[in-house]
Amino acid sequence: MNSAHLAPWSSATSLGAAERVLLLVFAVSAVFILRRLLKKPWHNQAAGTIRPGKGKSIEETSCVLPDPDPLTEFDLETATARNFIYANKTMRYPYHQTMAHQPMHINHWIEIDKEYKWYLDEKARVIKEHGKKVVDSLPENDEACGELLELLADYLPKRYPTLFKQHAPGSITNLVTGDRFDDVDQCKGTGALTIISRLVQDDFLMARERPDGKVYLVGGLIVFPGTYLLSETIDKPLGVLHAPVPDFNQKLLMSVERTLKRFKPNEPFERSSWNIMDDRNLFWHNIASGLPDKDLRPQDLWLRIDHQTFRKLPRTNAIIFGVRPIMRRIEDLADSPLVPSLMEKVHTESAEHLLLYKGIAKYGDLLLPYLRELTKSQIERGLISSEDDVRSFREFLKDKGMPVPSTQTSMSVPTESERRKAARGNQAV
């Protein structure tokens, strides 16, 4: 052996060390060759994704995501979605703008809960009333709409076999509503999106990179935006869409666009965002353009959390941004240790421009005193102590051996504040 090859090792035992390194290299090479021969993919169990080999095209790696685990005993009457106060680092202190995304397990792409039928009925009502304001697609996106429908028609019967059935290739039956859709592989554009609205609670924004290098919103099913309209945002780039968002264009735009352009069909990811709302109107919350009702009780404010999922379609290369709004009344947080205190700190100690964007000027005087009441009650009941650190509210549950709280007011039932407002309106008539 040439002594020059031994230069990094300078003692009598250095030769043994070198041989061990070479053996390790040979072993790794052998494993790699064996995997290639067996054509066994690299599987990331934690993320539920499979990484493609080098040199593979998008088309060649399009089907490498594993099938979701079937929920064979799924009970729609009692099902709840994950509590995103705890998942995805939605609520955090100190609060600042960040994408805060993480790999998404395929099981978490579509989450269905006991409010399913209400969501679908509400979607149908809004679509009938508002049409292209909430469902639209530019010609360049029509093929992607069909591909998204095909993907859902394949996914849903596998994940929720008690709710959906595939009688034949290219068909799907919703066993909850009785709707059957055939030849879904032939559907395109808004026709495909309308079918999707009868299958899942999620909205879908659809984007594409254009030759100028920017990512544009090119269509979607956006029935529950809450504070904006598809008709006013379609055909615009990310920078324009997010111009009102504090710090986004200055700090996040470049990295977000880079991520959306580069991620692959087998690399889905997720994140969540939150807002305080004053009603159950997922299409357009009153607080988006007006002030809360004068008789609104603080208990009946809502914490709206949008679970956001990101997938790249393998055939059309479209960027799919799923949004599933999940609502909890502020009173639902009464037994969530440290969460009211956390929310108070976020609303009193964050940068002013972030809070103004959140709309605190409209709801702060109503929300903050009630959050303090909830915190006081948690201390008096021994649920927390005044010394507990709100930043560790997730770890608090683990340390105490407590389950993640699941209290969630039904969306199908008017709140006490809504009933009072309706009664006042009836009296006026």
Side-chain angles (χ1 to χ4, degrees), residues 197-261:
S197 75
R198 301 303 302 155
L199 298 175
V200 295
Q201 294 163 265
D202 306 61
D203 280 349
F204 293 99
L205 290 77
M206 308 179 74
R208 177 173 297 281
E209 179 185 3
R210 288 182 176 168
D212 63 4
K214 297 178 181 179
V215 175
Y216 287 78
L217 179 66
V218 291
L221 170 72
I222 311 179
V223 184
F224 297 148
T227 59
Y228 68 96
L229 295 175
L230 169 62
S231 56
E232 296 178 355
T233 52
I234 194 169
D235 205 21
K236 294 181 180 179
L238 279 185
V240 174
L241 297 177
H242 289 84
V245 181
D247 304 332
F248 183 90
N249 284 355
Q250 297 83 356
K251 298 181 179 180
L252 296 175
L253 177 61
M254 289 183 62
S255 63
V256 170
E257 281 200 319
R258 184 165 55 246
T259 297
L260 294 179
K261 294 175 188 177

Side-chain angles (χ1 to χ4, degrees), residues 13 70 86 94-95 110 131 133 139 160 166 182 209 262:
T13 60
Y86 297 89
Y95 173 68
I110 302 295
K133 288 184 179 180
Y160 300 100
Q166 192 174 48
D182 295 314
E209 179 185 3
R262 293 181 180 178

Side-chain angles (χ1 to χ4, degrees), residues 71-76 156-165 174-176:
L71 295 173
T72 56
E73 298 182 2
F74 185 80
D75 184 358
L76 186 60
L156 292 171
K158 293 175 179 176
R159 179 60 171 161
Y160 300 100
T162 62
L163 305 185
F164 302 93
K165 188 171 183 179
N174 186 329
L175 300 175
V176 179

Side-chain angles (χ1 to χ4, degrees), residues 110-127:
I110 302 295
E111 297 193 40
I112 291 175
D113 65 14
K114 59 188 177 183
E115 304 289 342
Y116 177 74
K117 188 68 166 58
W118 183 89
Y119 271 73
L120 263 58
D121 289 346
E122 185 70 1
K123 274 182 182 286
R125 181 190 69 79
V126 174
I127 291 172

Side-chain angles (χ1 to χ4, degrees), residues 128-395:
K128 182 178 180 180
E129 184 175 343
H130 296 284
K132 286 176 68 71
K133 288 184 179 180
V134 297
V135 184
D136 201 2
S137 175
L138 299 179
E140 66 191 285
N141 184 59
D142 284 348
E143 287 290 329
C145 296
E147 186 179 5
L148 175 59
L149 174 57
E150 290 180 55
L151 202 62
L152 285 164
D154 177 72
Y155 177 95
L156 292 171
K158 293 175 179 176
R159 179 60 171 161
Y160 300 100
T162 62
L163 305 185
F164 302 93
K165 188 171 183 179
Q166 192 174 48
H167 294 281
S171 74
I172 184 171
T173 297
N174 186 329
L175 300 175
V176 179
T177 65
D179 294 333
R180 173 169 175 163
F181 304 101
D182 295 314
D183 301 321
V184 296
D185 54 343
Q186 302 301 313
C187 296
K188 311 294 179 187
T190 57
L193 295 177
T194 301
I195 293 175
I196 291 172
S197 75
R198 301 303 302 155
L199 298 175
V200 295
Q201 294 163 265
D202 306 61
D203 280 349
F204 293 99
L205 290 77
M206 308 179 74
R208 177 173 297 281
E209 179 185 3
R210 288 182 176 168
D212 63 4
K214 297 178 181 179
V215 175
Y216 287 78
L217 179 66
V218 291
L221 170 72
I222 311 179
V223 184
F224 297 148
T227 59
Y228 68 96
L229 295 175
L230 169 62
S231 56
E232 296 178 355
T233 52
I234 194 169
D235 205 21
K236 294 181 180 179
L238 279 185
V240 174
L241 297 177
H242 289 84
V245 181
D247 304 332
F248 183 90
N249 284 355
Q250 297 83 356
K251 298 181 179 180
L252 296 175
L253 177 61
M254 289 183 62
S255 63
V256 170
E257 281 200 319
R258 184 165 55 246
T259 297
L260 294 179
K261 294 175 188 177
R262 293 181 180 178
F263 87 108
K264 297 180 175 59
N266 62 341
E267 298 171 341
F269 58 95
E270 63 180 339
R271 68 180 299 272
S272 303
S273 64
W274 65 269
N275 285 97
I276 301 296
M277 300 301 181
D278 61 342
D279 59 23
R280 296 175 298 135
N281 188 357
L282 298 178
F283 163 64
W284 189 269
H285 295 291
N286 170 73
I287 203 169
S289 53
L291 296 174
D293 186 75
K294 63 178 183 178
D295 292 327
L296 178 65
R297 305 185 312 157
Q299 298 94 315
D300 294 334
L301 284 167
W302 294 85
L303 172 64
R304 171 174 170 150
I305 295 182
D306 287 344
H307 176 218
Q308 302 166 359
T309 63
F310 296 79
R311 294 195 66 174
K312 182 76 66 70
L313 298 186
R315 191 170 71 236
T316 58
N317 205 33
I319 301 163
I320 305 301
F321 174 28
V323 182
R324 162 77 152 82
I326 299 174
M327 304 282 282
R328 277 184 163 81
R329 285 173 60 244
I330 298 301
E331 189 176 34
D332 292 344
L333 309 180
D335 295 323
S336 297
L338 295 174
V339 172
S341 180
L342 168 77
M343 291 183 63
E344 181 193 354
K345 281 185 172 293
V346 167
H347 280 93
T348 57
E349 300 181 17
S350 299
E352 183 178 4
H353 68 296
L354 296 180
L355 295 175
L356 289 175
Y357 174 72
K358 287 290 186 182
I360 189 173
K362 293 185 177 182
Y363 65 77
D365 290 342
L366 192 62
L367 175 68
L368 292 176
Y370 184 63
L371 291 176
R372 296 184 187 108
E373 286 182 24
L374 293 181
T375 298
K376 180 181 178 182
S377 173
Q378 290 187 355
I379 294 173
E380 291 174 346
R381 288 182 286 145
L383 192 59
I384 64 172
S385 73
S386 58
E387 286 77 30
D388 288 323
D389 187 349
V390 299
R391 292 172 296 183
S392 303
F393 74 101
R394 296 180 182 86
E395 293 75 13

